[in-house]
Structures are given as structure tokens and as C-alpha cells.
Amino acid sequence: MTDSPTTDSSTTKRPANKIRWGILGPGKIAHAFAADFQYVADGRLSAVASRSTERARAFAAQYDIPFAYGSYGELAASPEVDAVYVAVPHSHHYEAASLCLEAGKAVLCEKPLTVNSGQAEALFALAERRGSFLMEALWSKFNPVIVHLGELIASGAIGEVRRIHCDFGFVAPPDPGSRLRAPGLAGGALLDIGIYTLFLPHMLWGLPAQIDSHVVRGETGVDVQEQIILQWPGARMAVAEASLDSYYPTTGVISGTEGYIQLAAPFFAGRELTLWREGSEPRQVRREFPGKGYQFQVDEVNACLRAERLQSRRHSWEDSLALCQTMDRLRKTWGITYPGERAP
Ligand SMILES: NC(=O)c1ccc[n+]([C@@H]2O[C@H](COP(=O)([O-])OP(=O)(O)OC[C@H]3O[C@@H](n4cnc5c(N)ncnc54)[C@H](OP(=O)(O)O)[C@@H]3O)[C@@H](O)[C@H]2O)c1
């Protein structure tokens, strides 16, 4: 990889050997990511960075990672790393991804890519200016069942799709300072789990024409429960529900004029779907894979780097921007602005 700037918006530099990955922010999701990395064919974990040297060393020892850094800046500057997985809280995605892109690293940044669409657009401009790859870690898009769902719908298996229903709810720790509830960490259901209920309709239909919603705000002021109805031209609707205060079955149902497809829970990361067509027996389709499925998004980044691309066609900058714009619209309606953020 190089850190020399380029004005070519379509390509990035190609690493010679296995792509060397660094992890920035060794928290909860970074552990799941590192555990699944053993299933990545064309990459290896080369470095990890924490705000604390001890935490970086402990994580490195657990996953046999050669380099451990006590600051994010050292990882961004490291000659041992081609691509960085950004796994800090949402509030810090923009700053951490900028640091790495500026240094010429490819970046896979946890969802949501940024807290708002203004930050997302700034990241795209930076990635383009530096010739660095950037993708939001929307791992569900690369889940084999979701990929098959896309194929089934494209083949007309359920006719014209008219309605999508997704729900995701669980009881988050009550601590007002926790990542999911603290406004300073961009807490709330929408950005953390609501994004999963929105990604399927956005994947199939793009930006909605109309959005209606109801929200419950918790003690810290962030959204803790919401029901969202989205509409697209052509009698197409989606219902998206998320909660940090009660348990939902985490299902996804896609309904069409000739049948429906039910994604087994959790709908965004499952191994099975059921296809029901009018007049036929229900058909189950399973897709087995090792681990939790975080490896597929890494495979996509590696393939893009080999193809010298700056963004993925399967989860493009435009796709991430659309999700940010929809979430901006919702937060604007709800009057939720995070500290230090101008109104979305
Ligand atoms: N794809 C998925 O399935 C999935 C699941 C869960 C979360 N996520 C995403 O991953 C991101 C991180 O979530 P998480 O649950 O892993 O978070 P977490 O465990 O609370 O924090 C991740 C790490 O970020 C670092 N960090 C940097 N600045 C911080 C700050 N101001 N406060 C707290 N930690 C800070 C900390 O590492 P050091 O201090 O050691 O540097 C911390 O361990 C979120 O954006 C979330 O949306 C994705």
C-alpha cells in the first residue's frame, strides 16, 4: 500500500502478499471479528491498537497478533498494516477512519459508517483524495443467506416485493454511561440496531420516498424504542422496529405478490430462510459456514483491494450514505442531536 495521494477515483494500490490487517479499538466486536479472521483466506492479522498498551498487548496475545500499539496513531502510521478495521463506538468512527485514510490505509469501519451523512461525505472525499479504500462493515450484506435472498428476489421467486418487515430488540445494560445509552457515544437504538432493520429495505429499494415513525426516548435522551414505516413508489412499504428495552424475535419477512420469504433469526446474520409460494409446500434453504460470519465482509475488502478499487460495488459509498440520510431524517424528526454535532 502507498500513502501517496492520487486523483484517480476508481483504483487503489494492490498489496503483494497476504493483506495485513490491523484492528483499532479492541472491544466487544473486535473480539468477534478477530475470532472469525481465521476463516479469511487472503489476509492475516498483523496489528492491534488500543488507547492502552496493556489492552493492546493482551488482545494481541489472545489472537497471536505480532504488533500491539498503545495509540491509534501508531497503527495508522504502521508500515506493517495495509487495512484497518475500525471498531470504536459510533461517535469515534469519523475521527478514527479519517486518521487511517489520511495515512493511506484501507478502512473497514463498523456500522454506522458515521454518526451523520455530513461526516460520511467527508470520509468519501478523503478516501478519494488519498486513494484509500473505504467500506462500512455492514457484514449482513455479505451473509450467504442474505446473498441468496437477493438472488431469489431478482429471479422473481415471490413476484413483486411489496412489504418488508424487520425487528431487532434486546434489553441493553441500564447504565446511562454505557455505549448504547450515552449521548456522548452516539447511543440509541437507531444507530446501533435500527440500522439492521433499515438495511434490507435500502438494499432492495434504496432511499425511501416517505418516512413515518414513533419513538420512545429514554432517560438519557436517546431513542430506546421505535417503529418506522417507510414507503417507496409502487405500493412498496417497510416496517422497521428496534428496541433497547425489550426482546424482539429478530425476524425478517419479505412479502411479494406470489409469496414470502422468512429469514430465520437473527435475520441479519442467519443460516436459513424459508420460501413460501402460493400453492407450494414451504421450502427451507440453509447456508452453512464456520464462525459467526464476520469473515465475508473481510473477503469483500480483500477482493476490492486486489482489484484496486476504492469502494465495494456490493456495499458502496452511496449505499452507506443512503442509510445515514434515512437515520438523519429520523433523528431530525425526533429532535435527537448528539453532543458536538450540528442538527442532522
Ligand atoms: N457488526 C456487529 O455485529 C457489531 C456488534 C457490536 C458492535 N458493533 C459496532 O462496533 C462498534 C464498537 O462496538 P463495541 O460493542 O465493540 O464497543 P465497546 O466494546 O464498548 O468499545 C470498543 C472499543 O472502543 C475503544 N474506544 C475508543 N474510544 C472510546 C470511548 N470514548 N469510549 C469507549 N470506548 C472507546 C475502546 O478500546 P481501547 O480503549 O482499548 O482503545 C473499546 O474497547 C460500534 O460502532 C458498533 O456499532 C458491531
Side-chain angles (χ1 to χ4, degrees), residues 31-40 63 139 290-295:
H31 279 280
F33 179 89
D36 272 3
F37 207 93
Q38 61 184 299
Y39 308 116
V40 172
Y63 297 100
W139 62 307
K292 289 200 163 72
Y294 291 108
Q295 63 271 33

Side-chain angles (χ1 to χ4, degrees), residues 87 100-101 172 240 249-250 329:
C100 299
L101 291 170
T250 321
R329 276 169 74 178

Side-chain angles (χ1 to χ4, degrees), residues 252-330:
V253 181
I254 300 92
S255 301
T257 52
E258 294 172 24
Y260 65 82
I261 295 168
Q262 189 157 12
L263 297 167
F267 73 88
F268 54 87
R271 284 171 162 78
E272 187 171 299
L273 62 75
T274 303
L275 170 64
W276 181 93
R277 283 177 54 82
E278 197 190 7
S280 307
E281 286 296 305
R283 183 162 69 88
Q284 259 107 31
V285 180
R286 271 194 79 78
R287 290 283 184 270
E288 301 295 350
F289 53 84
K292 289 200 163 72
Y294 291 108
Q295 63 271 33
F296 303 116
Q297 59 184 347
V298 182
D299 291 340
E300 171 65 5
V301 176
N302 289 341
C304 288
L305 294 181
R306 293 295 177 202
E308 303 186 357
R309 298 186 58 78
L310 286 189
Q311 58 175 303
S312 162
R313 292 180 178 142
R314 297 173 65 193
H315 189 54
S316 67
W317 295 349
E318 191 185 340
D319 295 339
S320 293
L321 185 63
L323 282 167
C324 280
Q325 287 170 336
T326 293
M327 294 190 291
D328 283 357
R329 276 169 74 178
L330 285 160

